[in-house]
Amino acid sequence: MLQIEKIIGSLPYGNSKPIKIVADDGKTYILKFRKDYVNGKDRSNTNEYIAYKLIEHFKLKIAPQKLKLIEIDDFSIELAKKSSISKESLAYFLASKGTNIAIEFLDNVRKTEKSEIEHKAFIRAVRTIDNIMMNDDRTLDNTNILKDQTKKNQFYAIDWGLSMDSTELYSDVKTNNINNRYMYFQNMDIVKRPDYIFKDTNEFTSLDKKDIEAIIRNIIESIPPEWETHFCADIMIDILTSRVHNKIK
C-alpha cells in the first residue's frame, strides 16, 4: 500500500474535494477520500475501485491511469494540517483515516467538450463501463473526459464516484428498500437518460462474459475489509453480474 510523502494541494474541481499528492513511490496521484460529500462512507471509493478493476480486466482503452490503495495515517494527517489544502479537503482528509484510493495524475490534459469526441471505439467503451456501473455523471456540462494535449484524438474518461445510480443502491440496502427496486437496478439503461453525454448511440463494446460472476466477486471481495460498503457486497455482485449479461449485448 502506498504512503503519502508530500501534499501538493487541493484540485480546482470535484465535489469530493480531492487533493494532489506525491506518494512514497515517487509518483504524483490524485487522492480521493473514504469520506466525502456523499451520504455514508466509502461509497465513492468503492465505485471507483470496481470501475477501474473492470476497466483493467476487460482491457478497455479509455484511461491510462492505475488505481492504487493509499493510507491516511497519523503522519499524513499532521502533513495535511500543515498544508494549504482547502477547508473542505482537510475535513474529508481527517474523516478518512485508513485505506483510501490514489489515481495516477495525468499531465498535459484538459477538460473536453462532447463536440471534440469523435473516437467511436472510445465512446463505446465509456458507455459500456458507465452502463455496467450505473454511472450517468457524464453530461454536456461536465463530461468527466479529458483530452491529451500532446496526442491527436486521445481522450481519457475519469470519475466513477457517483456510480450505482448516484450511490442510491447503497441507500436502498441501508433502508431495506432494495427489494422494491432490485429489478430496476438490474435492468435500467442509465446511458439513455436525457442528460447522459452519449445517449444518442446504442453501441457497446463486446465483452467476454465467461466466468463474469466469479470475476466480479473477486473484485468486490478484494475491496479493503475496513470499507463500510461490504454490507451490500453480495447484492452488488448479483446486480453487476446481471447488468453485464442483460445490458451489454
Side-chain angles (χ1 to χ4, degrees):
M1 185 184 303
L2 295 175
Q3 304 293 319
I4 299 170
E5 288 285 334
K6 179 181 179 182
I7 295 175
I8 298 174
S10 295
L11 295 171
Y13 53 81
N15 289 330
S16 58
K17 307 302 178 184
I19 64 172
K20 187 177 177 182
I21 61 98
V22 177
D24 57 349
D25 63 354
K27 295 182 180 180
T28 303
Y29 294 90
I30 295 173
L31 170 62
K32 291 198 169 186
F33 303 112
R34 296 183 62 193
K35 176 59 186 170
D36 57 17
Y37 71 104
V38 174
N39 287 334
K41 196 171 185 179
D42 302 312
R43 273 60 161 167
S44 300
N45 275 5
T46 296
N47 293 342
E48 296 272 23
Y49 184 91
I50 297 170
Y52 273 91
K53 294 298 182 181
L54 287 173
I55 290 167
E56 182 179 349
H57 173 78
F58 288 120
K59 300 179 180 179
L60 299 177
K61 297 179 180 180
I62 58 177
Q65 311 107 299
K66 298 293 184 183
L67 179 146
K68 304 287 184 66
L69 296 177
I70 191 166
E71 184 179 13
I72 290 180
D73 57 11
D74 291 334
F75 171 78
S76 56
I77 285 174
E78 292 306 311
L79 280 181
K81 289 178 179 178
K82 298 174 184 177
S83 73
S84 60
I85 60 177
S86 71
K87 290 182 180 179
E88 294 91 343
S89 294
L90 179 58
Y92 292 151
F93 197 111
L94 297 178
S96 299
K97 189 173 182 179
T99 304
N100 292 258
I101 63 171
I103 300 169
E104 291 185 48
F105 182 78
L106 294 175
D107 287 311
N108 300 311
V109 295
R110 63 168 173 81
K111 288 188 175 182
T112 191
E113 305 295 326
K114 180 187 176 183
S115 59
E116 299 179 80
I117 307 167
E118 299 178 348
H119 196 299
K120 292 184 178 180
F122 174 81
I123 292 172
R124 287 196 299 270
V126 173
R127 288 185 85 252
T128 299
I129 191 65
D130 281 345
N131 208 32
I132 293 171
M133 293 297 301
M134 293 177 279
N135 174 57
D136 65 346
D137 188 29
R138 208 176 298 286
T139 65
L140 291 177
D141 293 333
N142 183 22
T143 63
N144 277 318
I145 294 174
L146 306 175
K147 186 180 190 306
D148 190 323
Q149 298 185 89
T150 67
K151 299 177 183 178
K152 184 178 179 180
N153 203 30
Q154 182 68 63
F155 301 94
Y156 308 128
I158 61 171
D159 202 346
W160 282 270
L162 284 177
S163 296
M164 306 297 172
D165 198 12
S166 296
T167 74
E168 286 191 16
L169 184 146
Y170 303 106
S171 298
D172 278 13
V173 177
K174 277 284 190 182
T175 58
N176 295 316
N177 191 46
I178 188 66
N179 289 338
N180 295 327
R181 299 216 298 163
Y182 210 93
M183 290 184 65
Y184 163 80
F185 287 124
Q186 286 178 312
N187 296 303
M188 55 93 119
D189 276 310
I190 205 161
V191 294
K192 291 184 178 179
R193 288 183 174 173
D195 292 334
Y196 182 73
I197 187 174
F198 300 132
K199 69 179 187 302
D200 51 353
T201 179
N202 292 317
E203 296 182 352
F204 292 110
T205 299
S206 296
L207 301 178
D208 181 1
K209 301 176 185 179
K210 183 179 179 182
D211 300 325
I212 187 60
E213 180 177 356
I215 291 161
I216 291 173
R217 181 175 295 279
N218 286 339
I219 290 172
I220 291 178
E221 290 183 349
S222 71
I223 290 170
E226 68 198 85
W227 287 5
E228 293 181 0
T229 40
H230 275 285
F231 70 83
C232 58
D234 288 339
I235 290 172
M236 283 194 291
I237 292 165
D238 185 60
I239 287 176
L240 290 175
T241 300
S242 295
R243 293 192 64 75
V244 173
H245 282 300
N246 299 338
K247 308 311 298 178
I248 309 301
K249 305 300 183 183

